[in-house]
Amino acid sequence: MGALLSLPLLAVPSLGTLMSFGASCCGAAACSAICNQCGIFKSSMATRIAYAFLLLINSIISWLMLTPWALKKLEHLTLDYVNISCQGKQCYGYVAVQRVNFALGLFHLILSILLLGVKSSRDGRAALQNGYWGPKVIVWLAFVVLTFFIPETFFQVWGQYIALAGAMLFVLLGLILLVDLAHTWAEYCLEKIEEHDSRAWRVLLIGSTLGMFTASFAMTILMYIFFAQSGCAMNQAAITVNLIVLLLITAVSVHPTVQEYNPKAGLAQAAMVSVYCTYLTMSAVSMEPDDRHCNPLIRARGTRTASIVLGAIVTMLTIAYTTTRAATQGIALNGNSSHAYSKVGDEEGEHGLVDQQPSSRREMRAEALRAAVEAGSLPANALDESDDDDDDDDSDDGRGGKDDERGGTQYNYALFHVIFLLATTWVATLLTQNIDYEATGVAAVGRTYWASWVKIVSSWVCYAIYSWSLLAPVVMPGRFGN
């Protein structure tokens, strides 16, 4: 927020720089204060929202760096010290986009290293994740400034090779998590139905499945009507392949052999994967260039600028949301494990009594409770109540907010920042592919054949990952037991 508020002041270098730092710090502090005062947001949730917001602001600034206006303001900010050019021609922000995203990526890389091994907010390093927002914003902005002293050749190599590889890894990770979400959602609904014989969950599962299939076929019909005219071979092929594979994976999901090895597989997972892949295909054909007159949306000149701005903002919001979900749930690394109790006196010869001096009053109480539970004097849930009491004593985060990570982190901090690092490479790659150097207005995001083919191929890869998740238990039953 602070960075956006400072954009109009870029014409005055010194004042703009000072106000950028001040406004950014105030914006971060205000966001943190609001999240802490709102009872619905827990500490970990507020943290994730703040990082997503930072990625969103960084992405929007990167997008603005593609325009000649932003480029001129950037050069003026550096007192004309930096002259961004590619082989003697202005890049309209190619290097600037790489610099800005590299700065945020470096920021997340350093945090990832510093937060390795943090298991709960009791660890002193957890404050680096959940607090110090003012200093962290200042460090991020300092990194942005410092990147402009790095030679352009570094960012040419970075953008063409390293960032591209990171972007593809980010896309692949997103597809894997989407397939995992499809299975998790269906299995969760089935568990609720089996446990409670709930009609509501049954209606929800069947209704959502039918709704997603309906949406998939509706999008397919719309694509054939508007984007598959004569001469649009690429669109026709992409839409047809998507429809055929959609029908195939639906049939595979309910095949008797697949059901035998994976009884929870079914139409619900196929519906979610199908609607997402169909959306990717529709997004690809609706965002391609109109040089072959296959995209009627671009020819709607009356709302072209508004649609470009809205499309860019929606794209950045989607990336921020997707990154946050992937970083939080990625690879199923959740530090908040359930209570696990070790049985007293399991080993032969132990008498089941407390024979060691506890290091604190809390440990003494816990040892006494465990001994009482083993002796049968207290029920086992007394240990839960004890843990709850202990957590209540330390539930305050010191700023009037609620700390939900005293017993264990809600997600893996180091992995969280690694995924955000990959997200910055995806943003940089998406924005800098096939830049129109002759354009003078706002730059469209993802309106290139490269971006369209990435989405089309991504949908195919997603189908392949889902198909393998169905067939793997059949091909390797020993590895995927019951």
Side-chain angles (χ1 to χ4, degrees):
M1 180 65 72
L4 285 182
L5 293 175
S6 68
L7 286 177
L9 300 174
L10 292 180
V12 185
S14 58
L15 182 60
T17 304
L18 294 176
M19 291 298 293
S20 175
F21 279 87
S24 298
C25 294
C26 292
C31 178
S32 179
I34 292 173
C35 290
N36 284 333
Q37 292 301 322
C38 187
I40 195 173
F41 287 106
K42 294 184 178 181
S43 177
S44 62
M45 178 64 73
T47 297
R48 284 172 273 178
I49 292 175
Y51 282 114
F53 183 73
L54 183 61
L55 177 63
L56 175 64
I57 295 301
N58 188 85
S59 301
I60 293 176
I61 293 175
S62 301
W63 170 56
L64 292 176
M65 290 300 181
L66 287 173
T67 65
W69 176 86
L71 179 62
K72 292 177 182 178
K73 296 303 180 184
L74 178 63
E75 292 177 344
H76 184 59
L77 178 64
T78 60
L79 301 177
D80 297 325
Y81 176 79
V82 175
N83 181 24
I84 299 177
S85 62
C86 294
Q87 298 179 351
K89 298 180 180 180
Q90 284 187 318
C91 292
Y92 290 163
Y94 173 89
V95 178
V97 170
Q98 295 293 345
R99 292 181 193 274
V100 171
N101 285 281
F102 176 80
L104 183 60
L106 179 62
F107 171 80
H108 282 293
L109 177 61
I110 293 175
L111 282 178
S112 176
I113 296 173
L114 293 177
L115 295 171
L116 277 172
V118 174
K119 300 298 183 182
S120 73
S121 59
R122 299 174 191 269
D123 191 316
R125 291 177 296 161
L128 293 174
Q129 173 76 0
N130 301 313
Y132 300 108
W133 288 105
K136 283 194 289 192
V137 170
I138 293 176
V139 170
W140 164 55
L141 293 175
F143 283 168
V144 173
V145 173
L146 291 175
T147 58
F148 283 91
F149 294 94
I150 300 176
E152 290 187 10
T153 53
F154 170 81
F155 291 102
Q156 295 288 351
V157 175
W158 174 269
Q160 293 176 11
Y161 301 102
I162 303 176
L164 180 61
M168 295 301 100
L169 183 59
F170 176 77
V171 171
L172 179 61
L173 178 62
L175 298 177
I176 294 174
L177 292 175
L178 184 278
V179 173
D180 179 70
L181 174 64
H183 284 290
T184 302
W185 160 251
E187 291 173 6
Y188 181 76
C189 290
L190 290 174
E191 288 177 4
K192 291 295 183 181
I193 294 172
E194 292 173 358
E195 290 177 4
H196 309 289
D197 193 21
S198 172
R199 181 179 180 182
W201 280 102
R202 186 176 286 106
V203 170
L204 178 61
L205 180 61
I206 296 174
S208 62
T209 301
L210 293 175
M212 286 185 285
F213 273 126
T214 301
S216 299
F217 288 114
M219 285 189 288
T220 301
I221 294 172
L222 289 175
M223 285 189 288
Y224 273 120
I225 294 174
F226 294 103
F227 301 100
Q229 296 90 351
S230 177
C232 302
M234 169 185 159
N235 291 357
Q236 293 171 353
I239 299 169
T240 302
V241 169
N242 179 79
L243 178 60
I244 293 173
V245 179
L246 184 158
L247 297 174
L248 285 175
I249 62 114
T250 302
V252 172
S253 299
V254 295
H255 193 277
T257 304
V258 172
Q259 290 291 309
E260 178 184 354
Y261 287 89
N262 188 1
K264 292 186 177 181
L267 295 177
Q269 298 95 321
M272 182 174 291
V273 172
S274 297
V275 73
Y276 179 72
C277 292
T278 304
Y279 160 76
L280 283 179
T281 304
M282 187 171 187
S283 177
V285 298
S286 64
M287 290 298 291
E288 68 177 5
D290 193 40
D291 55 337
R292 301 173 186 173
H293 301 285
C294 296
N295 191 347
L297 295 181
I298 296 182
R299 295 196 293 274
R301 295 289 183 179
T303 58
R304 186 174 188 276
T305 299
S307 65
I308 290 176
V309 173
L310 180 62
I313 294 176
V314 169
T315 300
M316 301 311 173
L317 282 170
T318 303
I319 292 173
Y321 172 76
T322 304
T323 303
T324 305
R325 281 191 60 85
T328 304
Q329 300 178 357
I331 323 301
L333 289 176
N334 192 321
N336 191 15
S337 57
S338 60
H339 292 293
Y341 309 119
S342 56
K343 190 173 182 179
V344 180
D346 278 344
E347 296 182 7
E348 185 178 355
E350 288 191 0
H351 47 65
L353 300 178
V354 179
D355 59 359
Q356 293 183 351
Q357 178 67 29
S359 59
S360 68
R361 182 178 179 181
R362 176 178 298 170
E363 292 182 9
M364 182 183 298
R365 180 186 179 191
E367 290 289 346
L369 284 172
R370 290 191 183 97
V373 169
E374 283 297 318
S377 302
L378 291 175
N381 61 5
L383 294 172
D384 287 324
E385 294 172 0
S386 172
D387 289 339
D388 292 339
D389 292 340
D390 292 341
D391 290 341
D392 289 341
D393 294 339
D394 298 309
S395 62
D396 196 294
D397 63 2
R399 298 182 297 276
K402 296 180 180 180
D403 187 352
D404 60 345
E405 297 186 311
R406 297 292 291 180
T409 58
Q410 298 291 322
Y411 53 95
N412 186 287
Y413 286 172
L415 179 63
F416 179 89
H417 290 287
V418 168
I419 295 178
F420 267 79
L421 165 63
L422 296 178
T424 63
T425 63
W426 168 245
V427 172
T429 303
L430 179 65
L431 292 175
T432 56
Q433 290 296 320
N434 301 325
I435 298 178
D436 183 4
Y437 297 109
E438 303 299 326
T440 57
V442 290
V445 177
R447 191 161 290 177
T448 63
Y449 283 113
W450 180 89
S452 293
W453 274 109
V454 166
K455 294 178 180 179
I456 293 171
V457 174
S458 295
S459 69
W460 297 345
V461 173
C462 188
Y463 280 131
I465 295 173
Y466 174 64
S467 299
W468 175 246
S469 72
L470 297 176
L471 297 176
V474 178
V475 177
M476 297 181 293
R479 186 166 185 175
F480 290 90
N482 295 328

